[in-house]
Amino acid sequence: METVIQQSVEAQLVAASPRMATIPARLRYDRTEPFAVTMTFPARSTLEGVEVTWSFARDLLTAGLTGDAGMGDVRLRPHGEDQVVMEFHAPEGTAVVRVRAEELRRFAARTIALVPPGREYLHLDLDRDLALLIRGLR
């Protein structure tokens, strides 16, 4: 059975100039971390020249498809019928991108098929997590 879902998406960087650069990004979901998704931007698309990965709740992704979602470092909101605006807030600044809503819906549907909402707890390895926590305390 599949344990990791990855999907490439095209993100349009929203900038001050009228031309928006299109940058590749990769969405990832791992059922061993069932509450989270990640979005990775390649080094060539970041100011620091290093790959950047953002982790956020899967629920935030699904909520952002239909309305404003998020109050922290990652925020999403629909933009028209076919795009979602994603904001990534860091001490260094804020990046704002637009992604086609259909790409995000397809990814979200795949994660839900793998781990239905409310069933995430079945995929947690609490013994492993507790052992790692205890090992870190010593």
Side-chain angles (χ1 to χ4, degrees):
M1 174 182 233
E2 185 176 39
T3 61
V4 175
I5 295 170
Q6 295 192 83
Q7 180 177 313
S8 296
V9 297
E10 287 189 5
Q12 286 184 316
L13 183 61
V14 178
S17 70
R19 183 183 171 284
M20 288 186 285
T22 300
I23 55 175
R26 185 178 66 251
L27 291 165
R28 186 175 192 277
Y29 179 78
D30 184 337
R31 76 173 180 178
T32 66
E33 297 179 22
F35 293 102
V37 297
T38 62
M39 188 167 194
T40 301
F41 296 93
R44 70 180 186 277
S45 66
T46 68
L47 294 175
E48 297 81 20
V50 296
E51 184 176 88
V52 174
T53 300
W54 289 85
S55 295
F56 51 96
R58 177 175 72 168
D59 288 349
L60 176 65
L61 176 65
T62 57
L65 291 169
T66 58
D68 290 6
M71 296 172 45
D73 294 343
V74 180
R75 302 173 194 173
L76 287 82
R77 67 181 177 280
H79 183 74
E81 292 184 22
D82 62 342
Q83 293 185 333
V84 173
V85 171
M86 303 179 79
E87 297 179 12
F88 300 94
H89 297 262
E92 300 81 19
T94 300
V96 181
V97 298
R98 290 185 195 158
V99 179
R100 289 192 344 235
E102 184 53 39
E103 291 181 340
L104 297 178
R105 275 194 281 281
R106 186 173 60 248
F107 177 76
R110 291 175 64 205
T111 72
I112 290 168
L114 185 62
V115 179
R119 311 284 289 175
E120 293 93 348
Y121 70 94
L122 295 172
H123 300 278
L124 295 174
D125 186 348
L126 297 177
D127 291 334
R128 177 188 58 93
D129 293 343
L130 183 59
L132 289 171
L133 179 64
I134 290 171
R135 193 174 310 138
L137 295 176
R138 293 185 182 175

